Amino acid sequence: MITVTLEHTDVRGLPLAYADFGGSGRPVLALHGHFGRARMFAPLAAALAPGHRVIALEQRAHGRSGRDGNVHPDAYLEDAAAFLRGLDAGPAVVLGHSSGGVTAFRLAARYPELVEALIVEDHGALNRQPDIPHPVLDIGDWPRRTGSLAELRRAVESRGIPDASYFLESATEYPDGWGFLFDLDELMESQRRLVGDWWPDWLGSTCPALLVHGTDSFVLPTAMARAMAERRPGTTLREFPGCGHWVHDDDPDGFADAVAEFLAAL
């Protein structure tokens, strides 16, 4: 697991953790998706340094950030806006993976003064059946505690997850065993809240945008990715054959190159 130093700040009355990877160049606000952590952006930050300052927010109900029971998409949106204002870092490039991508393009639509450009990694403008067969990953029967980290991995992978590494970035040892930093029920609710039609928000901004899509993704169908690029002016689509939902893990160098090329063209 990658070790990243986290700082904390009060955002709308809730303590949120973040990682500021430094750099003196253009600020890039990075938003992870469901079950994610700020440290997932460390390789990208290293690839973009020193010309860009990547600041990764550990979002509410995730990692070392606080929780208050509110996991509505609007809560994530308002957190991101308030965080940028608090850092006086806008207008910034906003990059989001998965559900973080929805927060990113909603931020661009609702608060255009805060967003210079938009990067969305593998999430669609529609997140509902039948367009997306499984918009909610059922984690309801995942164990709350296990005797070891290896046992926690086996338990997750026995439930149909080929590689639990992404989820184990949020694993920690408690006095009564190994478990996750996130609450299983809370993130089930957070996923359910994200089910819906997000086309108005995707089409609601005019800043330059990069849409990154893994053609083997189970979250964003290729036809939808192409429609999103065609319908929104100023959008560049980068497809990654053989990559899935986590393009940044499947092809980290290619992902970093695509982001760097997009930023250089701004």
Side-chain angles (χ1 to χ4, degrees):
M1 295 183 182
I2 298 172
T3 300
V4 170
T5 299
L6 293 175
E7 303 175 60
H8 284 80
T9 187
D10 181 276
V11 177
R12 303 192 311 123
L14 195 67
L16 296 186
Y18 67 98
D20 187 341
F21 295 98
S24 57
R26 174 188 284 114
V28 178
L29 173 63
L31 304 171
H32 62 75
H34 280 129
F35 316 105
R37 299 287 309 276
R39 63 190 180 195
M40 66 173 273
F41 294 106
L44 177 66
L48 297 179
H52 295 86
R53 177 192 177 195
V54 176
I55 308 164
L57 179 63
E58 198 137 281
Q59 300 193 77
R60 62 173 49 231
H62 290 76
R64 297 296 180 183
S65 283
R67 50 180 50 87
D68 60 8
N70 184 0
V71 287
H72 192 281
D74 286 351
Y76 293 106
L77 167 67
E78 297 302 332
D79 285 350
F83 180 71
L84 271 179
R85 292 193 190 100
L87 287 180
D88 194 24
V93 176
V94 181
L95 181 157
H97 171 246
S98 193
S99 61
V102 180
T103 300
F105 67 69
R106 296 189 75 218
L107 185 68
R110 305 301 177 91
Y111 300 105
E113 72 280 4
L114 295 176
V115 182
E116 177 187 5
L118 178 64
I119 303 171
V120 174
E121 181 191 357
D122 212 71
H123 203 289
L126 274 180
N127 186 43
R128 65 186 186 191
Q129 295 176 323
D131 305 274
I132 309 301
H134 304 289
V136 175
L137 174 63
D138 189 357
I139 61 170
D141 68 341
W142 286 17
R144 262 63 176 177
R145 296 288 186 272
T146 60
S148 68
L149 181 60
E151 186 180 342
L152 186 61
R153 175 182 288 276
R154 288 194 295 271
V156 171
E157 293 179 352
S158 71
R159 288 159 171 81
I161 304 297
D163 182 356
S165 298
Y166 173 77
F167 301 94
L168 294 182
E169 289 288 340
S170 294
T172 192
E173 188 174 15
Y174 294 96
D176 58 344
W178 281 85
F180 294 105
L181 291 169
F182 53 76
D183 179 81
L184 302 179
D185 294 334
E186 197 166 40
L187 286 203
M188 283 292 293
E189 177 63 17
S190 185
Q191 291 182 87
R192 286 191 287 263
R193 292 279 191 169
L194 197 67
V195 174
D197 180 351
W198 302 105
W199 271 108
D201 285 293
W202 171 249
L203 299 175
S205 63
T206 59
C207 63
L210 171 66
L211 177 60
V212 175
H213 166 55
T215 58
D216 292 345
S217 172
F218 60 90
V219 172
L220 175 58
T222 297
M224 186 186 299
R226 292 175 180 174
M228 289 170 67
E230 290 168 2
R231 291 181 58 185
R232 185 187 182 280
T235 300
T236 299
L237 172 63
R238 287 291 302 269
E239 296 182 3
F240 285 77
C243 291
H245 182 52
W246 291 272
V247 178
H248 63 270
D249 281 336
D250 294 342
D251 186 357
D253 291 339
F255 177 70
D257 287 345
V259 172
E261 290 172 12
F262 174 74
L263 294 176
L266 292 178

